[in-house]
Amino acid sequence: ENGNDGELMGNPKWVNGKFGKAIDFNGSTDYVEVADSKSLDITDAITIVAWIYKRSDAVHGGTIVGKWKQVGNTWSYVLYGLGDAGGGFRLMWDDKPTQTNLEGPYQLPNNEWVHYAATYDGSSIKVLENGKEIATINANRKINVSANPVWIGNDGYQQHFNGILDEVAIFNVALTVNEIKSIMEEGLSKTLAV
């Protein structure tokens, strides 16, 4: 619908997911690359959601979604699979190189499905696990715009995700907890159907 179609890189496999098919990433060479577009240059509010089945904690638990690469300090946003130092949900601000990292600490379980979400509404950054808030921090700046692509299962530092990702989406609004729970319980296609 929005033209933000991704290209499979490496050799990720299509497998059964939480809702239909999902992508299985090998943790070393597989990822999806989505070309930069205006709709992915988000500045005021953002929500990232995904069902994740993480097999290892790797570096920061691997990258779930990132528009994040050290190319002339032009990062935007990234969500890692582990809330540790340097991981979690990170936003680069338009007065770069300032950034805010919601690192938790928090630990998502391995080898089980978890619904993972992160939001920024212009005043606070939050991370949710299975519809429950697990970390929050105040912030009130504009997210930096970069020409980087969006990577799913990887970032510009080659921090690959080892596991399965399903129902990955980026919104240019901060969804409420109830909206996130609805996506978690009913799936994206049913929740977003008009």
Side-chain angles (χ1 to χ4, degrees):
E1 279 180 36
N2 56 24
N4 292 323
D5 297 325
E7 179 180 354
L8 298 177
M9 309 299 277
N11 193 27
K13 308 284 188 250
W14 287 100
V15 297
N16 291 328
K18 287 297 286 186
F19 294 91
K21 293 294 185 182
I23 300 178
D24 191 338
F25 299 87
N26 67 9
S28 60
T29 58
D30 297 343
Y31 62 100
V32 175
E33 184 170 303
V34 182
D36 181 39
S37 73
K38 282 273 198 206
S39 65
L40 297 171
D41 291 336
I42 297 168
T43 59
D44 296 316
I46 188 171
T47 300
I48 299 173
V49 298
W51 274 103
I52 73 169
Y53 187 96
K54 182 168 58 88
R55 285 191 288 262
S56 85
D57 288 331
V59 178
H60 308 310
T63 305
I64 309 303
V65 175
K67 196 174 197 322
W68 197 262
K69 183 176 182 180
Q70 191 171 1
V71 175
N73 253 358
T74 56
W75 312 327
S76 297
Y77 46 85
V78 66
L79 180 62
Y80 292 109
L82 186 62
D84 63 352
F89 184 39
R90 305 175 74 173
L91 298 173
M92 170 69 75
W93 305 118
D94 64 355
D95 61 350
K96 59 184 185 262
T98 307
Q99 61 182 315
T100 298
N101 306 334
L102 181 49
E103 299 169 339
Y106 59 86
Q107 174 79 34
L108 300 176
N110 288 339
N111 302 311
E112 67 180 74
W113 283 106
V114 174
H115 192 265
Y116 192 28
T119 68
Y120 172 62
D121 64 5
S123 63
S124 65
I125 302 170
K126 298 178 182 178
V127 172
L128 296 91
E129 175 186 356
N130 293 327
K132 294 181 181 146
E133 185 180 309
I134 58 171
T136 187
I137 191 171
N138 292 332
N140 62 351
R141 297 182 178 167
K142 297 256 187 213
I143 300 169
N144 186 54
V145 171
S146 78
N148 294 325
V150 166
W151 291 282
I152 300 170
N154 188 22
D155 67 0
Y157 295 104
Q158 302 302 309
Q159 295 173 149
H160 290 270
F161 179 75
N162 184 353
I164 304 168
L165 296 176
D166 194 10
E167 298 276 296
V168 176
I170 301 171
F171 299 88
N172 63 359
V173 296
L175 298 180
T176 66
V177 171
N178 285 339
E179 290 169 325
I180 290 169
K181 283 182 180 177
S182 180
I183 290 170
M184 178 182 78
E185 294 166 358
E186 300 177 17
L188 284 167
S189 62
K190 185 171 182 182
T191 306
L192 300 178
V194 177

